[in-house]
Each structure stands twice: as structure tokens, then as C-alpha cells.
Amino acid sequence: MSDASINASQSQTPEAGFGDYFALLKPRVMTLVVFTALVGLLAAPVPVHPIVGFAAILFIAVGGGASGALNMWWDSDIDLIMTRTRGRPIPAGRITRGEAFGFGMTLAVMSVVMLGLATNLVAAGLLAFTIFFYVVIYSMWLKRWTPQNIVIGGAAGAFPPMVGWAAATGDIALESVLMFALIFMWTPPHFWALALFMKSDYDEAGVPMLTVTHGRRATRQHILVYTLLLTPVALGLAFTSIGGPIYLAVAVFYSALFLKGAWDIWRRDEVMAEADGYGVEKKVFKHSLYYLGGLFGALLIEASLRTAGLSGWAMVGW
Amino acid sequence: MDFRKPHELHKRRFGRNLGLGLVLGGLVALVFGLTIAKVSTEGFRMPNQIEGAHNE
């Protein structure tokens, strides 16, 4: 390439670096996918060869990343409007929509095929459905149509432990469905707590958010209702084959804290919230992160104890 | 001899190519590792052994 052509291409769009393609995969979301899928895989009653397990988690993460890239391809118009997302590779002009689509589709197909070859068809099918659900059902169809978009989007984020479990067992079980339900019910109160204190420009982008469409009072009520519905799911997991006394203790502790936080949010109005700079809402949002990390971490501890021959409830004589 | 300093664009391209090379190398190593893991499992049988078992 001549210097003249370098200058010409530079004046058009800055060329993408490796980091820009990596950013398309939404690496922060990927960490949650990796962690919950790993817990699903290790909590399963079937031992997995370490290399097969590593490959399974990697391809689940790549599949999650592919969903992120395809989501950015579809949402590039609204990403350009919102301050938070304006710096992403497509709206910033470093990657074209076509490149992002090709990148996302390639990774989506590759991750599903490779997961199928490394583990089994059930895991591959679930991963394919997760990608389809996030890209088509959530991003293309429901995100811009209903204020319940967070609830539906949460389902896509809830699939990884089920995929991890299926990678180990080749099946779907009550335990994996409950892990799905745990993340599914946790996502709305987690996100709506954030929506209450974050000034968002979703409205200008034409994305209906509950705080705008139904108001902040309704959002506070929704947080309380979803936290109430989440609690039996969180506690119920303790009495399945992957639970145990440690998980139950952690679940009771964090559920009590989360319920107290949701109750406090429900009792407050905007005047009270503004007076203390949305202190309670911020605390509940932060706590919701510890909640999910704590509960899945406890499942991991229970799985480690079972591997060491200390079986969950049998330890306490049940 | 005149070696000109590489342009920023070339550096970025090199970084991208290096990253892609490492990813592809990693994928090859992973597929190799997976193959070893699969053929090392107790229940593994070569396709001709399976065929032989059917013919018996």
C-alpha cells in the first residue's frame, strides 16, 4: 500500500484493531456467561474431561460473544443515539455493519458446531437456541416493542448454566431449569434498580423502558414482585441434588438482604430517593451482583464438596 | 538503507493479524487436545472396530 492510499483510507474511517473485534463480543457480559456456564457444567453429576470442559466453556463464551456482535449489528442505529453506546465499534465507524454481521454469524455457527462436536447435540441445540433467542426474539422483535424487554432479555442471559449442564450430561434436568429460573427472575430487579438511578437515553432511542412507559412507582412495585418470586426459586435449589446446607445458608442470607432492599425501594418515592442521591437503589443494585455471584459460588462449593465425597445434605445427616 | 518508521495503520494491522494468528493457533491446539481427550476415553472404539463388532 502506498502512502497516498494510507492517507486516503485514514481520512475515511479508522481501521479496526483486534481490540475492536473483541469489543463486539461484549466481554463484560461474557464473564457472567462463563461463570454461570462453568457452575452448570461442574454442578452436573457427570464428570467431564478437563479439556472437554474447557472447550465447552470456551465455545459457550464464543456463542455468547457472537450474540453480542449480532446485537450490535442490529442495534447500531440506536447505539449511535445513546451516550453510553456511542463509542462502540460500529457507531464509532471502526467496523462496518456488514463486517459485524459476518463476524457474528461466523462465530455463532462455529461455536454451535464446535460445541456439538466437543460435547453433544443437546448442548449445541441449546446454545443455538440461546443465540437465536437473544438476536431474533429479544433484539429484533421485542426490545423496541415492549417495556418487559428486560424480562425477555433476561431469559437469554439465563441459558448458559443450562448449556453447561447439558454439555456434561447431554440432558435437561430440574436442577438446570432452576438455575435458568434463578438468573431469569434475578435479571429484572437487578436491571430496574439500575434504571432507577441511571439517567438513561433509551427514550430518545425509542426503546420502551419500564421507568418511562409505566413510571418509577410501577418500576418500584415490579422490583418487589420479582424479588418475591425470585426467593422461592433461590431457596428451592438448595433441596435439589446440586444444593446443600452451605448453599441454603448463603441463599437465605442473600435472599433476606435482597428482599429487604426491594422492600426499601418499594417504600420510597422519588423525593426520598433524590434526597439521598438514590442511595438505597444503588445499594440494592450492588447487592444484586453479590447475590448472583454468592449463590452460584455456593453451588460451586457444593459441587467441590461432592467431588471430595462430602455429599450436600448427607453431611448434616439428611 | 532507509527504513521508514512503520505507519500507525500498519502497526494496527499487524496487531490484528497477530491476534488472529494466535486465535487460530489456539484453536488448532484445542482441537488436537480434544482429539486426544476423546480417543483416550475408555469407551472409545475406532470406526472399523465398531463395524467388526456388527459383523460378528
Side-chain angles (χ1 to χ4, degrees), chain A residues 199-283:
Chain A
K199 166 110 182 70
S200 146
D201 34 19
Y202 276 116
D203 202 25
E204 290 98 83
V207 179
M209 294 307 285
L210 194 69
T211 42
V212 178
T213 58
H214 289 65
R216 289 166 168 268
R217 183 71 242 152
T219 308
R220 290 172 187 279
Q221 284 165 354
H222 274 70
I223 289 173
L224 181 62
V225 170
Y226 272 91
T227 311
L228 284 168
L229 294 172
L230 168 69
T231 305
V233 176
L235 298 179
L237 251 176
F239 304 100
T240 65
S241 70
I242 60 170
I246 295 171
Y247 172 83
L248 181 64
V250 172
V252 166
F253 173 73
Y254 277 116
S255 294
L257 276 182
F258 207 1
L259 278 169
K260 169 79 170 58
W263 175 259
D264 289 343
I265 284 182
W266 178 72
R267 284 180 58 199
R268 283 152 67 88
D269 56 22
E270 285 311 299
V271 179
M272 289 165 78
E274 274 172 25
D276 68 1
Y278 290 88
V280 172
E281 289 78 3
K282 285 176 183 170
K283 200 171 79 181

Side-chain angles (χ1 to χ4, degrees), chain A residues 1 3 6 15-16 118, chain B residues 4 7 10 12-13 16 38:
Chain A
M1 185 185 266
D3 284 356
I6 289 170
E15 198 165 316
Chain B
R4 276 183 294 178
H7 192 276
H10 290 137
R12 206 179 309 167
R13 261 180 212 168
R16 205 172 60 195
K38 293 266 179 188

Side-chain angles (χ1 to χ4, degrees), chain B:
Chain B
M1 217 163 133
D2 178 29
F3 287 107
R4 276 183 294 178
K5 208 176 152 194
H7 192 276
E8 199 274 329
L9 189 72
H10 290 137
K11 280 190 201 163
R12 206 179 309 167
R13 261 180 212 168
F14 175 75
R16 205 172 60 195
N17 293 339
L18 181 70
L20 182 63
L22 289 173
V23 167
L24 290 176
L27 188 65
V28 170
L30 184 64
V31 171
F32 180 70
L34 270 175
T35 310
I36 299 296
K38 293 266 179 188
V39 299
S40 307
T41 51
E42 275 178 33
F44 178 78
R45 286 192 299 171
M46 293 296 284
N48 58 352
Q49 288 176 317
I50 298 166
E51 210 170 279
H54 281 304
N55 294 336
E56 276 170 18

Side-chain angles (χ1 to χ4, degrees), chain A residues 18-272:
Chain A
F18 186 76
D20 291 314
Y21 285 95
F22 187 66
L24 277 183
L25 305 178
K26 296 194 176 180
R28 273 198 300 177
V29 178
M30 217 194 261
T31 53
L32 180 72
V33 169
V34 167
F35 177 58
T36 56
L38 182 71
V39 174
L41 185 113
L42 295 178
V46 182
V48 180
H49 191 288
I51 296 179
V52 175
F54 173 77
I57 298 299
L58 180 72
F59 295 130
I60 294 169
V62 172
S67 310
L70 290 169
N71 169 270
M72 284 199 206
W73 157 71
W74 182 258
D75 278 346
S76 60
D77 57 336
I78 55 175
D79 281 353
L80 188 64
I81 299 168
M82 297 191 292
T83 324
R84 182 175 65 85
T85 54
R86 209 171 283 163
R88 285 179 174 174
I90 303 174
R94 294 191 298 275
I95 290 179
T96 65
R97 286 189 79 231
E99 283 169 341
F101 177 74
F103 183 63
M105 282 303 286
T106 306
L107 290 186
V109 172
M110 195 203 80
S111 61
V112 170
V113 171
M114 289 304 292
L115 185 66
L117 291 171
T119 60
N120 56 68
L121 290 179
V122 176
L126 275 173
L127 182 64
F129 182 72
T130 306
I131 297 169
F132 168 80
F133 191 91
Y134 187 66
V135 177
V136 179
I137 308 285
Y138 170 66
S139 303
M140 292 183 175
W141 184 22
L142 297 172
K143 184 177 175 180
R144 303 184 195 200
W145 182 58
T146 166
Q148 295 296 320
N149 45 21
I150 291 308
V151 181
I152 297 139
F159 276 113
M162 273 186 92
V163 186
W165 178 281
T169 64
D171 212 349
I172 294 167
L174 172 71
E175 289 85 348
S176 68
V177 173
L178 281 175
M179 282 191 280
F180 167 89
L182 183 65
I183 305 178
F184 178 66
M185 300 306 296
W186 166 86
T187 308
H190 162 77
F191 191 87
W192 285 327
L194 174 76
L196 281 174
F197 68 82
M198 273 284 281
K199 166 110 182 70
S200 146
D201 34 19
Y202 276 116
D203 202 25
E204 290 98 83
V207 179
M209 294 307 285
L210 194 69
T211 42
V212 178
T213 58
H214 289 65
R216 289 166 168 268
R217 183 71 242 152
T219 308
R220 290 172 187 279
Q221 284 165 354
H222 274 70
I223 289 173
L224 181 62
V225 170
Y226 272 91
T227 311
L228 284 168
L229 294 172
L230 168 69
T231 305
V233 176
L235 298 179
L237 251 176
F239 304 100
T240 65
S241 70
I242 60 170
I246 295 171
Y247 172 83
L248 181 64
V250 172
V252 166
F253 173 73
Y254 277 116
S255 294
L257 276 182
F258 207 1
L259 278 169
K260 169 79 170 58
W263 175 259
D264 289 343
I265 284 182
W266 178 72
R267 284 180 58 199
R268 283 152 67 88
D269 56 22
E270 285 311 299
V271 179
M272 289 165 78

Side-chain angles (χ1 to χ4, degrees), chain A residues 271-295:
Chain A
V271 179
M272 289 165 78
E274 274 172 25
D276 68 1
Y278 290 88
V280 172
E281 289 78 3
K282 285 176 183 170
K283 200 171 79 181
V284 172
F285 172 74
K286 200 171 143 190
H287 169 245
S288 69
L289 289 167
Y290 296 144
Y291 177 95
L292 198 70
L295 264 62

